Amino acid sequence: MTSGLANRRRTAREAALKAAVAEELLGPHAPVIGLLDVDGVRAAVADLHRAFEGPATVQHTFAAKACGLVPVLRLLAQAGMGCEVASPGELHQALAAGFDYDQLVFDSPAKTVEELEFALSHGIAVNLDNFQELARVDRLLDGRDATGPIGLRVNPQVGAGAIGAMSTATATSKFGVALRDPGAVEAVIEAFAARPWLDRLHAHVGSQGCPLPLIAQGVRAAYELAEQINETLGRRQVTGLDIGGGLPVDFSTDEDLPGYADYVAELRAAAPGLFDGRYTLVTEFGRSLLAKSGTIASHVEYTKSAGGRDIAVTHAGAQVATRTVFMPDAWPLRVGVFDARGQAKQGPERTVDIAGPCCFAGDLTAVGRDLPPIAPGDVVALYDTGAYYFSSHFSYNSLPRPAVYGYRVDAEGRVTFAPVRSAQSLREVVEESGAAHTEALLALATGTSTSTSTSSSSATGTSSATARTTTTGTGTGTGTEDTVPGRDEQVIA
C-alpha cells in the first residue's frame, strides 16, 4: 500500500513538471532543469528530528556535499539543521547560507594548516583524521584552549556494504584511525590522555548500500571506545559522539524506506547507552534528506532505434547523473515520461534506452526500460535526484550547469517556483575554461611571455608569477596570500 507521503510527493512532482513546461522553465530553449520539492525537504528534516527525540542532546547537521547550493543550505538552516563541511568551498557555502560557526562541523581528511587555524579560531567543530593531524593541532594550539569541540575520527573496520566506494569502514579505508590495526586502540587512548581538549569521537560507516545493522555496528564500536577512554582516564573527557549519516535511500519507490525511526531503533538495540544523555550526539545526513524531493527533467530532442532497441536522446546524461551513468547497477533511477504539455503519458510500453547528450556510448541514464512511447518534444524525468545529481555537475563536453528551481504546491494544486541556481551561460562556460589567459601559452611558446619566474608564499604554499596575480588552494581573495575568509571577508563568486 502506498503511503500518504508517497502520494503527496508524486502528486506534487507531477504538478511541478506540468507547471514548469507551462511557464517555459523547461522546453527547447531550456532543455534540462532540476526541481526541488521544498515541502518534501522540510518534512524529511522534521522526521529526522522526531526520530531522535529523547534525553540526549542531538545536533543534526546536513552533509553539504549532498547539495552545496546556497539557497538549499539556507532552507535547511531555517529548518533547524547544522552543516557538515568537508572542503573550504563547502565551508564558504555554509557561511553564505547563514550558518553560525558553532553550527558547523569540519570533516575534510586533508585539512591544511590555514584551514585548521581558521576552524580553531572560530570555534568550528573539527574532526581530525589521523595522528599527524593531531600533532599539527598540538602546534597550532600551543597550549591554549580550543574554542570549539575537537574530535578524532576512527574507523571501526566493520566491513563494506553493497557499494564499495560508499563504504568508509572497510579494513583499508582512507578515513580515520583503523581501530582493529595492532595497537590502534591503545594509541587512541594515549592521544586523549595527552590532550584534554580532545573531547569527541567520530565514526561513519558509509552511506548508500550500507545496511542498518552494519551502520549500527560501527556506531557501537565508537560508543564502546568512548566508554573505554573515559573509564581508563577516570574522567568524562569524551562528551560527544559524531555518528555520521548514511541512511540509505530506496531508489525503487516513492517511499522513505528505511526511515529515520528505523535507523534509531537499530542504534538503540546495538548501543542503548548512546541515547541516555551522557553524550552529545552529532549526525551528518545528506542524501536521505533530499534525494526523494528532487527531479531532473529533460526535453527529448530525438528518438531513434538501433539493433531493434528504441533510444530517446535527452539533455540529461553524465553531466548531471554521473554516478548512474558510470555505475548503473549501483545507482539506478526511476524514469517518468510526460508529453510536451507536461502530462504523464500512457499507452503500450516499449523497451527503450534513455540517452544523454555526452559524446560517449555509455551516456545512458536508463537501459532497457519498459516505458510509454516517447516522441521528440516529450519530457523525461529522472526521479530521486535531489541529492548530488543537480548539485555536483560533471563538466564533460563543457555542458553548462542547468537551472534549478524549488517549488511548492498548494491545496488547490497551484505551483509556485523559486530560483535556486541560474542556468550557466555559454559565456560562463568559456570564462571557466581559461579565456582570460587565451594568449598565455602562445606567448610562452614564442618566448614573448613576461612571466618567467615564480615565487612561493612561505605562509601558504601558493605560487604566483611575477607578472600576474594568482590565487590557488583554498582562498577566494586575490593576490598571493591564500586564506580561508571569515564571514565578513568571504567572497562568493
Side-chain angles (χ1 to χ4, degrees):
M1 180 181 295
T2 305
S3 70
L5 174 62
N7 282 329
R8 189 216 69 80
R9 179 176 284 150
R10 182 171 57 251
T11 300
R13 181 176 62 220
E14 292 185 358
L17 284 164
K18 183 177 180 181
V21 172
E23 296 186 26
E24 298 187 343
L25 302 179
L26 173 67
H29 63 290
V32 59
I33 61 172
L35 295 171
L36 188 68
D37 180 351
V38 169
D39 289 329
V41 173
R42 290 162 64 93
V45 172
D47 284 346
L48 172 61
H49 281 84
R50 275 194 299 270
F52 277 83
E53 287 177 349
T57 298
V58 185
Q59 180 187 20
H60 293 295
T61 68
F62 173 72
K65 65 181 73 67
C67 191
L69 301 178
V70 172
V72 176
L73 297 179
R74 181 61 179 157
L75 175 69
L76 291 163
Q78 189 275 335
M81 296 294 296
C83 194
E84 182 266 338
V85 299
S87 74
E90 291 177 2
L91 172 60
H92 292 184
Q93 289 165 343
L95 293 173
F99 288 101
D100 292 330
Y101 296 118
D102 62 1
Q103 295 176 294
L104 303 179
V105 176
F106 190 25
D107 276 344
S108 167
K111 296 181 280 294
T112 66
V113 170
E114 289 81 8
E115 293 161 18
L116 284 168
E117 284 181 332
F118 182 83
L120 293 171
S121 64
H122 288 84
I124 296 172
V126 181
N127 286 318
L128 306 180
D129 181 78
N130 53 69
F131 293 121
Q132 291 179 3
E133 193 169 25
L134 274 172
R136 178 173 286 182
V137 173
D138 280 335
R139 295 190 294 271
L140 291 174
L141 288 176
D142 192 24
R144 62 189 170 94
D145 291 334
T147 57
I150 301 180
L152 178 64
R153 180 165 186 169
V154 295
N155 172 11
Q157 292 176 295
V158 293
I163 307 174
M166 296 292 103
S167 302
T168 56
T170 59
T172 57
S173 171
K174 74 175 190 176
F175 292 103
V177 177
L179 290 183
R180 296 185 182 180
D181 284 10
V185 170
E186 292 77 11
V188 169
I189 294 173
E190 290 174 5
F192 275 82
R195 298 169 177 85
W197 45 261
L198 197 57
D199 57 6
R200 279 186 181 176
L201 281 173
H202 176 216
H204 176 65
V205 171
S207 52
Q208 192 66 20
C210 289
L212 295 188
L214 183 70
I215 296 174
Q217 190 179 348
V219 172
R220 180 178 64 191
Y223 166 76
E224 291 176 345
L225 179 58
E227 295 280 89
Q228 185 178 355
I229 291 170
N230 289 340
E231 182 178 352
T232 301
L233 299 185
R235 60 179 183 267
R236 295 207 57 78
Q237 181 167 326
V238 181
T239 58
L241 289 169
D242 186 330
I243 61 175
L247 185 71
V249 170
D250 177 10
F251 285 96
S252 66
T253 73
D254 275 314
E255 302 288 354
D256 292 310
L257 299 172
Y260 294 114
D262 301 316
Y263 175 86
V264 170
E266 197 75 41
L267 292 183
R268 289 188 184 277
L274 186 69
F275 295 92
D276 64 12
R278 289 177 298 130
Y279 295 99
T280 294
L281 303 181
V282 180
T283 71
E284 300 174 355
F285 293 102
R287 180 181 294 106
S288 58
L289 285 166
L290 290 188
K292 290 292 180 185
S293 294
T295 304
I296 290 174
S298 175
H299 176 77
V300 176
E301 200 66 48
Y302 302 109
T303 55
K304 56 191 291 188
S305 65
R309 176 70 60 81
D310 288 353
I311 302 170
V313 181
T314 76
H315 292 269
Q319 87 279 23
V320 289
T322 313
R323 287 176 173 172
T324 294
V325 168
F326 288 110
M327 298 179 67
D329 292 337
W331 301 98
L333 292 174
R334 293 180 296 135
V335 177
V337 181
F338 301 79
D339 64 22
R341 298 172 299 159
Q343 296 275 15
K345 292 195 77 170
Q346 307 293 329
E349 293 184 340
R350 296 178 60 89
T351 302
V352 60
D353 292 350
I354 307 298
C358 296
C359 196
F360 65 94
D363 186 33
L364 304 169
T365 55
V367 177
R369 299 290 182 87
D370 293 330
L371 296 169
I374 303 176
D378 284 350
V379 171
V380 164
L382 305 178
Y383 300 150
D384 307 330
T385 48
Y388 295 98
Y389 282 83
F390 46 66
S391 59
S392 301
H393 192 77
F394 176 36
S395 298
Y396 196 90
N397 286 143
S398 296
L399 288 163
R401 292 185 289 272
V404 179
Y405 302 92
Y407 66 88
R408 296 191 72 194
V409 182
D410 67 17
E412 284 71 44
R414 293 185 295 263
V415 181
T416 305
F417 292 102
V420 173
R421 182 185 65 202
S422 299
Q424 187 181 29
S425 69
L426 294 179
R427 177 174 179 173
E428 289 169 332
V429 171
V430 173
E431 289 173 346
E432 273 194 3
S433 68
H437 309 291
T438 300
E439 302 297 328
L441 295 181
L442 182 60
L444 184 65
T446 58
T448 59
S449 173
T450 58
S451 302
T452 57
S453 63
T454 61
S455 61
S456 290
S457 165
S458 60
T460 65
T462 60
S463 297
S464 60
T466 56
R468 65 184 186 276
T469 301
T470 62
T471 303
T472 62
T474 62
T476 58
T478 58
T480 60
E481 190 173 0
D482 192 5
T483 61
V484 180
R487 177 71 56 78
D488 296 335
E489 322 143 301
Q490 64 186 317
V491 179
I492 305 298

